[in-house]
Amino acid sequence: MNPVNPLVFTIALCAAGVAFAQAPASPPPLPNGATRIGPPVAEPPLPPPATGTLTQSPKGVEARAGDTPPSRWQAALNRLDADLRLRLMTANAPPAAWLAGELDATDIQNQVRHYAQARTAAPDVLLYQASLATACLVRTQPRLDECDAMDRLADWARRDRDNGVPSILLADRARQRGEIDLAAANLEQAAQAPRFDDYWSQGALHWWNYLKPVPLDFEPAVKAKAAANYATSRDLWWAPALHALCIESAAKTPAMREACANLGEAMMKRGATFALQRAGARIAEANARDEAARKAAQTGHARILEASARCAQAQPDFVGEFESSAPATRARGVEQFGAWANAQAKDGEVGACRNLAAK
């Protein structure tokens, strides 16, 4: 399987519920005749994980922080990856087309084409809308046809009105155009949203629903581990926008600082993932109106860390059970993985952890 950046965004232990604070990926190759325009994105502003949490090695193998044991299944995972890339190359059904787009992260033209196939065939699935909209934010010259057909980001924002994440990306687009007042207004609108969701929590179930029944000669533990690896390697594409809007001080005005403070406070409370909540805490702290607000943001950040740590402790160690030499133990890990992937897809990472703690 392809290497992924080992930096970590969040500390939640979950099957595909381990979010990574990876720096923006290397720029993907452009289609023939196209050239990338615009400045590179900024480094995301989120903190490193706490000791003892799950990380991902340069070879894509999950491990406890400080340890990097290789997976007993790595050779099988590599074979499975090669097979999947061939199978998904001509994918047409919406779920498979979306997965093909996920695998085509280094080829923006193919990625957009696959996301557009999924979005067109299943226009009401918010994950597909979000994926296509964010892929179309990669600036190319000439623009890709699928992105030029309509304003994909505005389309997502219209169809997902109660989600604050599209408004954050709209604000960053306004900032890039020099429209700072509009950027601040978009951030204020985002701050009023009842939820913040990048649909990261749905990735594991999409991979598992495809891999579990696929007729390949790999045992379920290999398929489950592959699903977890693929899901956790997704970029958190909103992080550079937040950094540019609310961390870099050069472009901030009093209105922008106030909007960022309000946004950070809202994300701390209503983010669907711990990564979104932690980002909100950092933004609230960086844009605090006074010392009391700064301390409140720091306290909120500490509470988010505690909540994600409690979730890690409560969640069964299915990642470790995948590696067991006992078939019954591996089978139990696979069952637990499927249950957790379903819980996250239904309630989001934070909601699933809250429900787990309530049991």
Side-chain angles (χ1 to χ4, degrees), residues 108-126:
I108 188 61
Q109 185 177 30
N110 280 337
Q111 184 177 62
V112 165
R113 176 173 59 83
H114 287 303
Y115 285 159
Q117 286 178 336
R119 158 67 178 80
T120 300
D124 295 328
V125 178
L126 295 173

Side-chain angles (χ1 to χ4, degrees), residues 100 107 122-123 155 168 170 183 196 199 216 221 249-250 258-259 270 318 338:
D107 187 330
D155 177 63
I168 293 171
L170 286 169
F196 295 85
Y199 303 108
L216 292 173
S249 59
E258 179 69 13
R270 303 194 289 275
F318 39 76

Side-chain angles (χ1 to χ4, degrees), residues 169-180:
L169 300 178
L170 286 169
D172 192 50
R173 189 164 70 180
R175 177 197 63 82
Q176 293 178 41
R177 294 172 175 171
E179 300 170 339
I180 303 303

Side-chain angles (χ1 to χ4, degrees), residues 43-334:
E43 184 86 7
L46 301 181
T51 303
T53 60
L54 285 183
T55 63
Q56 192 161 8
S57 77
K59 292 186 177 180
V61 181
E62 288 92 346
R64 293 284 173 178
D67 302 322
T68 55
S71 171
R72 63 178 295 175
W73 305 116
Q74 194 58 52
L77 290 169
N78 291 340
R79 294 195 304 273
L80 176 59
D81 180 75
D83 190 296
L84 280 177
R85 290 178 186 276
L86 290 175
R87 285 174 175 268
L88 293 173
M89 190 176 297
T90 57
N92 292 315
W98 180 81
L99 297 177
E102 292 289 284
L103 287 183
D104 274 328
T106 59
D107 187 330
I108 188 61
Q109 185 177 30
N110 280 337
Q111 184 177 62
V112 165
R113 176 173 59 83
H114 287 303
Y115 285 159
Q117 286 178 336
R119 158 67 178 80
T120 300
D124 295 328
V125 178
L126 295 173
L127 173 63
Y128 304 159
Q129 296 171 19
S131 298
L132 179 58
T134 53
C136 283
L137 292 178
V138 175
R139 302 175 66 196
T140 65
Q141 192 63 264
R143 282 180 56 81
L144 302 176
D145 291 342
E146 295 87 350
C147 299
D148 208 32
M150 70 172 69
D151 186 336
R152 297 295 185 177
L153 179 55
D155 177 63
W156 175 29
R158 284 192 299 269
R159 293 170 178 267
D160 201 7
R161 291 183 180 277
D162 66 344
N163 186 2
V165 174
S167 292
I168 293 171
L169 300 178
L170 286 169
D172 192 50
R173 189 164 70 180
R175 177 197 63 82
Q176 293 178 41
R177 294 172 175 171
E179 300 170 339
I180 303 303
D181 290 342
L182 177 59
N186 283 328
L187 289 184
E188 289 289 6
Q189 181 176 344
Q192 299 303 313
R195 64 188 181 90
F196 295 85
D197 198 345
D198 58 1
Y199 303 108
W200 180 89
S201 301
Q202 295 187 15
L205 185 61
H206 266 68
W207 279 108
W208 184 229
N209 282 344
Y210 180 82
L211 285 170
K212 184 178 180 180
V214 73
L216 292 173
D217 188 21
F218 296 98
E219 77 160 74
V222 174
K223 293 181 178 180
K225 187 169 182 66
N229 282 352
Y230 286 125
T232 57
S233 65
R234 298 186 67 202
D235 285 334
L236 301 186
W237 29 259
W238 43 262
L242 279 176
H243 186 277
L245 287 162
C246 295
I247 299 297
E248 293 178 347
S249 59
K252 281 194 288 190
T253 64
M256 182 70 79
R257 180 175 290 275
E258 179 69 13
C260 287
N262 293 333
L263 176 65
E265 293 168 2
M267 289 178 64
M268 274 197 297
K269 300 173 183 176
R270 303 194 289 275
T273 67
F274 289 117
L276 284 162
Q277 290 192 355
R278 292 178 73 193
R282 290 295 300 272
I283 290 168
E285 180 181 357
N287 295 274
R289 303 171 186 87
D290 51 37
E291 187 60 26
R294 182 171 292 104
K295 288 182 178 179
Q298 293 169 345
T299 299
H301 185 252
R303 288 174 178 167
I304 295 164
L305 293 178
E306 290 172 2
S308 56
R310 286 195 300 271
C311 184
Q313 293 168 357
Q315 181 61 39
D317 182 20
F318 39 76
V319 175
E321 291 184 347
F322 293 160
E323 303 293 329
S324 173
S325 59
T329 301
R330 296 199 300 273
R332 182 178 60 197
V334 169

